[in-house]
Each structure stands twice: as C-alpha cells, then as structure tokens.
Amino acid sequence: MPFAATVLTLYPEMFPGPLGLSLAGRAMAEGKWSLDTVQIRDFAADKHRSVDDSPAGGGAGMVMRADVLAAAVDHVLERRPGAPLLAMTPRGKPLTQGLVRGLAAGPGISILCGRFEGMDERLFEARPILPVSIGDYVLSGGETAALVVLDACVRLLPGVMGAASSGEEESFETGFLEYPHYTRPQMWEGRTIPEVLRSGDHAKIAAWRKARAEDDTRLRRPDLIERHGDARRPPPSGAQREDEG
Ligand code: 6GU
C-alpha cells in the first residue's frame, strides 16, 4: 500500500505545489505515495460557511472554530483510521528527523493546517491530534509547514531516494550536522578542495569528515551536542538518551 497523505486546509490549491515536482513528484507519479486534500470550509454548517470567529477574551485576529474543525477531522479519521493526525501550529512539538522517520514508516499521515491566529484549543482535548511545529518562527498558515513534513517523509519512502538516501550519514541521523561537500573544479576563485579529499585514502577521508562534522556542529549547533550527548564523553551515570528509553 502506498503512503497516503491527507491534508485538511482552507487552501487546497497549495497542494501538491512543490511536491508535484522533482523527487516527490516522480514518486507520486510512480504510485509510491498519494496526496488528497479536504476543504475545511465544506464542514461549516451555517449559510455563510464561516470557519472562524473572534477570540474569547479579546485580542487581534480570528480563531478557527472547534466545531467546524472537528467535523472535518472526524471525516478524515473515519476515512483514514490508521494514519496519525498532525496539526501544524507554532505551539506544537518540534519536528525532528526521528519523528519523520516514525511517520514515514507508517501507512500515511493526515495533516490539519491552521490559519488565522490559531485553532480553538478544545479541539486538541477532544480528538487524537499531535500538534507539530517546524521551528521557532511564525508562518501565515500551516500549509507550508505541512509541505515540509510531507517532503521529509516522502524522501524516506522505499524506492524514492537512491543510494544517497539510505541516509545513514545525513545530518541529524548521526546526531551531528553532515560534513561539507565539494566537487569540481578543483580550483574556483582561488579556492581549492581540501587536499585529503583527493588523497584516495578512504580511512583518512572518513576521519576528516567525522572531525569536520563534529567541529561544524559545535560551532553552528551547540544545541545538538547538548541534546545528543558528546559521543567522546561518557554520559552522566544513569542518564539515558530520550530515544533509547
Ligand atoms: Cl507548523 N504553523 C504555523 N502557522 N507557523 C509555524 C509553524 C507551523 N511552525 C513554525 N511556525
């Protein structure tokens, strides 16, 4: 069974968007995954088809109604009972490669995209929904975040990426950023490719790449080192990594 994605949105025209091209587009054409959209507005019950209302307690903007969202969500949960339902929101759990790996290993995902200031919080209490954020910045809606989640999942599906994607050396799979890459020409604007990469000594190259990955991670993403633990230091006694629990 191909990986089935369902996106609940007020803007179905945004899909498949970039996922209709390149790697993901080819995989979709080959039947390795499918994408359906559900128009949230179709579940509005009043004659104006309204999906939002002003925030309780006052303040700027509008809030998506729990009753309308629940009707759309219930429709999707019935149609795709096996697929986890994510909601894209900056209040969500951060998206990680570990979460992506888990999602890509399943039958598919459904993704609820918020607009306006947010969604009525009672929805998350009343339905099995995992709120997910793609980072600490604010988007105008969850749709572009949903595209990010789907891109990250689709490239991991069987037969979608070639050898490069076995992916075990990639950033975040090792706990470090990936090492830097170079290709011809050997000399560009007076800059050469590191000599070790032309040495043909594969052990030396592997050691150089590992050292560069660690150095660059320390410089650019000290938070990753904190989170993953320094491989060259034993962890404090009794400590366990979160994903080893
Ligand atoms: Cl998932 N949605 C929105 N609207 N903004 C975000 C986000 C999601 N992740 C980061 N910012």
Side-chain angles (χ1 to χ4, degrees), residues 13 71 83 99 106 111 122 129 135 186 194 204 225 236:
E13 304 86 349
L99 179 55
I111 308 181
R122 293 170 294 178
I129 298 173
Q186 163 59 16
K204 228 167 98 183
I225 309 253

Side-chain angles (χ1 to χ4, degrees), residues 88-90 132-135 137-139 141-142 145:
M88 304 316 302
T89 161
V132 172
S133 166
I134 63 163
Y137 39 80
V138 181
L139 304 172

